[in-house]
């Protein structure tokens, strides 16, 4: 359970960073939120798949 929570926290941090980097001055915030959400989902999927492949989960 702790490993999954750590994966979610790591993915959230990566998602926030991706949204922050994609935001353009004068642009819509919803575009940055969509990019951040996609980054979060992709990172979480990748991390979970790697842990399953390694046999941790």
């Amino acid at each position: 359970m702790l490993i999954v929570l750590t994966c979610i926290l790591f993915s959230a941090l990566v998602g926030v960073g991706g949204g922050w980097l994609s935001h353009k001055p004068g642009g819509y915030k919803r575009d940055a939120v969509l990019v951040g959400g996609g980054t979060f989902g992709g990172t979480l999927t990748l991390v979970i798949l790697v842990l399953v492949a390694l046999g941790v989960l």
Side-chain angles (χ1 to χ4, degrees):
M1 184 68 180
L2 186 60
I3 293 174
V4 174
L5 288 174
T6 304
C7 292
I8 291 171
L9 177 63
F10 176 72
S11 298
L13 290 174
V14 172
V16 167
W20 181 66
L21 288 174
S22 71
H23 181 66
K24 297 177 182 75
Y28 294 112
K29 290 184 176 74
R30 66 177 178 236
D31 295 335
V33 170
L34 286 174
V35 170
T39 306
F40 168 77
T43 304
L44 184 61
T45 303
L46 182 65
V47 170
I48 295 294
L49 285 175
V50 166
L51 290 177
V52 167
L54 292 174
V56 176
L57 294 178

